[in-house]
Amino acid sequence: MAFETLLGNDQLKQNLTQSLSRGHVSHFYLIAGPEGSGKHTLAHLLAAALLCKGEPKPCLHCTPCRKILDGSHPDFITVDDPEKKTVTVDLIRQARADMYVQPNESDYKIYLFPRAQDMGIPGQNALLKVLEEPPAYGVFLLLTDNPDKLLPTVRSRCTLLKMQALPRKVLLEALSREFPDASREDLEAAANRSGGFLGQAKALLSGGTQLPAGTEEFLQAFAAGDGLLLTQVFVPMEKWKRDALADALAAWLELLEAALTSRSGIQALSAHARNLSRQCSPGQLYQGVQHLKKALDYTQSNVSPAAVCAYLSWALRT
């Protein structure tokens, strides 16, 4: 199957392969799925298949396929301005006008809309003028996280390609290959929290940040509810700059929140949070979260670091 680089979605890939082999090409494809579901991967593979000169399509080795994958094909145009919150009607009108210029070097001219849900009503109406009477060589690929954000008149003219969650085994195998140093617990947690979508799971595993100094000591003192240990943690921090203190408190708050969530059955990605959830009661974690939130508010309201640290040394004791 020519679309094998897209994981899962076997029925969708089979249907596309059969349709393209029979020469059935839609002018408008609506590729729908949440962030990280593979929409962009499918869009590029579909574009490559339409312009491919090899077999099976997409071969991923011919010149058109390579140009699609490296973003240099003149007949594969992205319609977007990432610096703007919406896809402006002017961009859509420019694409509409360009559509009637013959392809440079291929049988098709393909337009990719990475944020179709961010087109306003005027923009969608402008697009409808092309959807109603497209040139024979024109293909539009509309990507969206929610088809319901598009006008019914737009949706009705599109072939819907809906991305599916990956089977758990496939997802875990892919994550193991990409994150060979991650623990099994981390992989399982990312798979559980991603809803089965590889991109989201990868983002979760890649999103770890370096913990602030003193984190191990803080977690030990907090779990023990030991006033002396807490004082030993916070006294040196009284001399920290306010921004550094706020960053540390925010990181520790995130750990406590993850540990509390873990107690409800949603596995935490952080080993620190998982350990904390086993060591502390839900009540202790909840109170810790509340105190850290209050301390963070104090810090951001220009209360001195010394006063904030004194408050936490007292408030986090059990």
Side-chain angles (χ1 to χ4, degrees):
M1 185 179 293
F3 288 89
E4 68 271 3
T5 53
L6 176 68
L7 295 180
N9 296 279
D10 292 339
Q11 188 62 56
L12 183 154
K13 293 187 294 188
Q14 182 179 344
N15 292 344
L16 266 180
T17 300
Q18 292 176 351
S19 177
L20 295 177
S21 67
R22 295 169 184 162
H24 297 163
V25 177
S26 173
H27 287 293
F28 315 107
Y29 292 95
L30 180 59
I31 304 177
E35 184 177 354
S37 60
K39 298 189 296 295
H40 289 81
T41 299
L42 177 58
H44 283 78
L45 289 173
L46 178 53
L50 291 173
L51 305 185
C52 181
K53 299 299 183 183
E55 291 292 341
K57 298 183 185 302
C59 71
L60 306 183
H61 300 294
C62 69
T63 297
C65 280
R66 292 200 304 270
K67 284 185 175 182
I68 289 289
L69 297 180
D70 67 20
S72 64
H73 202 295
D75 295 320
F76 184 51
I77 300 106
T78 298
V79 184
D80 194 18
D81 183 350
E83 294 184 0
K84 297 185 183 298
K85 291 184 178 180
T86 62
V87 182
T88 65
V89 67
D90 287 341
L91 276 177
I92 296 169
R93 286 172 178 159
Q94 291 170 16
R96 187 180 67 190
D98 186 67
M99 171 63 77
Y100 293 101
V101 178
Q102 293 282 335
N104 287 274
E105 57 185 58
S106 304
D107 294 331
Y108 293 100
K109 199 168 186 181
I110 304 169
Y111 291 81
L112 173 67
F113 286 74
R115 298 185 294 143
Q117 73 277 353
D118 293 333
M119 293 188 294
I121 300 299
Q124 294 185 53
N125 284 328
L127 185 62
L128 271 174
K129 294 182 180 181
V130 179
L131 301 184
E132 289 166 354
E133 296 182 14
Y137 52 78
V139 175
F140 277 67
L141 307 179
L142 309 180
L143 277 55
T144 181
D145 57 12
N146 185 354
D148 291 336
K149 293 180 180 178
L150 299 178
L151 293 172
T153 47
V154 172
R155 296 199 307 267
S156 66
R157 287 168 170 79
C158 296
T159 297
L160 177 62
L161 304 176
K162 188 173 182 180
M163 309 303 296
Q164 301 294 326
L166 298 181
R168 186 174 182 80
K169 180 181 178 182
V170 172
L171 178 58
L172 286 172
E173 287 175 351
L175 293 175
S176 297
R177 288 192 298 270
E178 188 137 353
F179 299 91
D181 297 329
S183 70
R184 185 68 183 183
E185 278 188 303
D186 285 345
L187 297 177
E188 294 274 358
N192 290 340
R193 295 177 59 185
S194 70
F197 294 108
L198 179 60
Q200 293 189 25
K202 288 167 60 176
L204 288 168
L205 287 169
S206 302
T209 55
Q210 186 173 1
L211 292 173
T215 295
E216 295 281 358
E217 293 80 1
F218 166 73
L219 294 178
Q220 179 184 355
F222 174 79
D226 188 311
L228 178 59
L229 290 178
L230 286 166
T231 299
Q232 292 173 345
V233 168
F234 284 112
V235 165
M237 297 174 69
E238 293 180 356
K239 298 180 181 179
W240 285 18
K241 292 186 179 298
R242 188 174 284 105
D243 288 346
L245 179 60
D247 289 344
L249 297 183
W252 295 348
L253 173 61
E254 186 175 343
L255 284 173
L256 264 65
E257 288 177 332
L260 184 58
T261 302
S262 184
R263 291 299 300 251
S264 68
I266 301 175
Q267 193 172 12
L269 273 169
S270 164
H272 289 299
R274 290 195 296 268
N275 290 335
L276 203 59
S277 72
R278 290 189 284 264
Q279 295 171 336
C280 302
S281 68
Q284 183 183 358
L285 290 169
Y286 176 79
Q287 290 299 324
V289 166
Q290 299 308 308
H291 290 311
L292 280 173
K293 282 183 177 179
K294 185 177 291 188
L296 191 55
D297 286 342
Y298 287 158
T299 304
Q300 294 169 341
S301 300
N302 290 328
V303 175
S304 71
V308 172
C309 291
Y311 163 73
L312 286 172
S313 298
W314 171 80
L316 294 178
R317 294 176 299 174
T318 57

